Each structure stands twice: as C-alpha cells, then as structure tokens.
Amino acid sequence: MRNVLRRTAAGLLAAALLATTLTALAHAAAPSSGFDDWSCKPSAAHPNPLVLLHGLGGNGPGNYSYLGPYLAAKGYCAYTLTYGQATPAIPVGGTISIVQSSAQIEAFVDRVRASTGAAKVDIVGHSEGGFQSIYGPKVRGYAAKVGKVVALAPSTHGTTFGGLVSVGDYLGLRPLVDQVLREFGCPACDELIVGGSEVAKLTAGPIAQPGVKYTVIASKLDALVTPHETSFIREPGVTNQFVQDTCPFDPVGHVGLAFDPTVAQLVSNALDPAHASRVVCGFGPAL
C-alpha cells in the first residue's frame, strides 16, 4: 500500500508541476490584474475576497496562474498561498498532514479578512485544495468566516487515484518526485484515499455547513480523482456539476480544471449567480 501511495503522489506532483510549466510563459508577460494585491479592498459588487487553494503537489502561484488573474479581472480581491510544504526549499505543497495544512489555511483566511476588512471570504479550491475548502468550514469549524465554496474535483469521499501511475511515468518526472517522497513522505496521501482518516472526519454526518453555499465542479474525464462522483456532496443546497454537462466536448482532465476557460466561467457564475452569464465553451488541458 505504501508503494502505491508513493506512486499516487508521484502522479499528482508530476501533473501539477507540468501544468505550472505549460502556463508559465503564457502568463509571465501578462499585466497584473490585482491578483495577490494586498492593497486591494473589496467592492460593493464583490464584498467577499477570494482565497484560492491549490492541489496536492502544487503551489498557489502556479496552480492559479490562470484562474487567479481571471477572477481578479472580474473585480475580486483574490489571494493564494502555498500551504503544506514539507520544506521551504521545495516550492510544492499539500503533502503534509491535512490537519496541519488546514490550520495554515485558516490562519491565511484570517489574514485576508484582516487585510480587506471583510467579515467573510469565498473559497475556490482545486483537488486537495477543494477538499480543504470543504474540510475547513466543517472540521475546523470556521464556517462563519465563509460565504461560498467552489470546489474543483475535491476528493470529498476519498479517491482510488485511478491511473496516476501511468500519468506520472508518462510525464517523465518520476525520479524527481520519488526523491521528494523518499525524503519527506506524503501524509496527506494516506488521509485522502477511500477510508482515509480525514475523509472519515469530513463525511461523518452532513458535510455542508449552514450559511455556506457550495458548488462542486468535476470532469467526467478526470483520471486522478476517481470515481468522479466521489467529488460530489449529495446534500440539499449543494450544486454539483460536471464540466461536460455544460460543454460536452471539453476534454479537460483533473489538473486542467484550473486552466480551463470553460471552468473559469463556471466558477465566476457560482461566485456571483445573480449576474451569471452564458458559458462560452472552451477547451481545457486533458491532464
């Protein structure tokens, strides 16, 4: 089992690192839109600042190099962090215990609230970040600080991590990832599988918390969080949707959800349903 988990984490780390590489050049020269601008003050139209949570093996700036500026350009104060780093020397996070990472995230939520003067934040999370966006309000008990949650492919009910070994091998990053895992391990991997300890905490009783509006977005072509329906929260007041329900020909996979123009529009509509616009279908990376 330990070797399987190591190979599982390898695929996640490799995919996240590749996604960052694919988008770095496209966004490096783009003008700043206010993303991660700590002088930003929320507008009357968007009073809740956004906290953007990356996936396992990713980092905030890389995971949100597309979606962060997109949402900031919509008029949001949007912020991200790299949580759960095993060591500051390696710019990837999410590998340490979910419990430790969630404490870092709550501290960041409080920092954003203090900086902006907002009573609540809205949270957008991708992959493990999606799990953390749901876990924190319930298990850590800070639902009163959150207005909306938009979770992209969270492993809500645990995952079998289908196909990750072949993905990690295909990307050619296995040696580097194996070195990271050999030196630091991946406690979060144990906790996010089916039957994992933190999955058990999240799914004991109702998941959705009163006062928080939840949207879960997944892809039918996700090869990392499997089965796909394990992302969904089948409870009253929660909106669950596949990208392909809106755009049937979008090939977007797990990592690609954070870099897909279709998903960006779905996220924007979920955050501001009173001003939702028609989604123009795009194509996300099939990763």
Side-chain angles (χ1 to χ4, degrees):
M1 174 62 75
R2 186 67 56 179
N3 288 336
V4 171
L5 290 174
R6 177 172 294 175
R7 290 161 69 86
T8 288
L12 282 169
L13 286 163
L17 290 169
L18 178 67
T20 300
T21 301
L22 289 173
T23 57
L25 291 177
H27 299 293
S32 172
S33 63
F35 176 44
D36 270 337
D37 176 4
W38 289 93
S39 68
C40 185
K41 296 301 179 184
S43 66
H46 301 304
N48 290 357
L50 304 180
V51 170
L52 310 179
L53 302 179
H54 63 80
L56 192 155
N59 59 53
N63 209 147
Y64 286 99
S65 59
Y66 174 73
L67 193 53
Y70 175 91
L71 293 170
K74 292 283 187 180
Y76 290 95
C77 296
Y79 306 90
T80 191
L81 77 161
T82 300
Y83 64 85
Q85 287 179 266
T87 171
I90 299 178
V92 296
T95 58
I96 69 173
S97 169
I98 297 293
V99 175
Q100 292 175 274
S101 290
S102 65
Q104 296 174 11
I105 291 167
E106 183 176 8
F108 189 79
V109 166
D110 288 338
R111 179 187 173 195
V112 169
R113 292 170 62 236
S115 175
T116 60
K120 295 185 177 185
V121 302
D122 293 338
I123 303 178
V124 179
H126 177 217
S127 191
E128 182 190 341
F131 182 90
Q132 291 279 9
S133 74
I134 299 164
Y135 177 96
K138 176 181 175 176
V139 179
R140 286 197 63 85
Y142 60 81
K145 304 175 185 178
V146 179
K148 297 184 182 72
V149 164
V150 183
L152 308 179
S155 55
T156 307
H157 299 277
T159 176
T160 59
F161 290 118
L164 286 185
V165 174
S166 61
V167 169
D169 290 343
Y170 176 76
L171 296 176
L173 296 176
R174 183 73 167 277
L176 174 62
V177 174
D178 276 351
Q179 179 182 350
V180 172
L181 297 174
R182 183 169 58 250
E183 293 181 10
F184 302 103
C186 182
C189 297
D190 295 283
E191 298 166 344
L192 290 172
I193 61 172
V194 174
S197 60
E198 303 315 303
V199 170
K201 290 180 185 177
L202 177 62
T203 56
I207 296 171
Q209 297 299 290
V212 181
K213 182 173 178 57
Y214 296 83
T215 301
V216 180
I217 300 172
S219 172
K220 293 180 179 180
L221 303 177
D222 190 329
L224 305 187
V225 171
T226 54
H228 311 129
E229 292 80 2
T230 60
S231 287
F232 292 157
I233 303 171
R234 305 289 189 182
E235 295 176 16
V238 179
T239 299
N240 298 293
Q241 58 188 130
F242 283 116
V243 175
Q244 289 80 15
D245 293 339
T246 301
C247 296
F249 302 109
D250 190 336
V252 67
H254 181 83
V255 174
L257 287 167
F259 306 94
D260 184 354
T262 301
V263 175
Q265 295 169 81
L266 294 174
V267 170
S268 179
N269 286 348
L271 291 170
D272 189 7
H275 300 94
S277 58
R278 184 179 66 86
V279 173
V280 178
C281 291
F283 299 93
L287 296 172

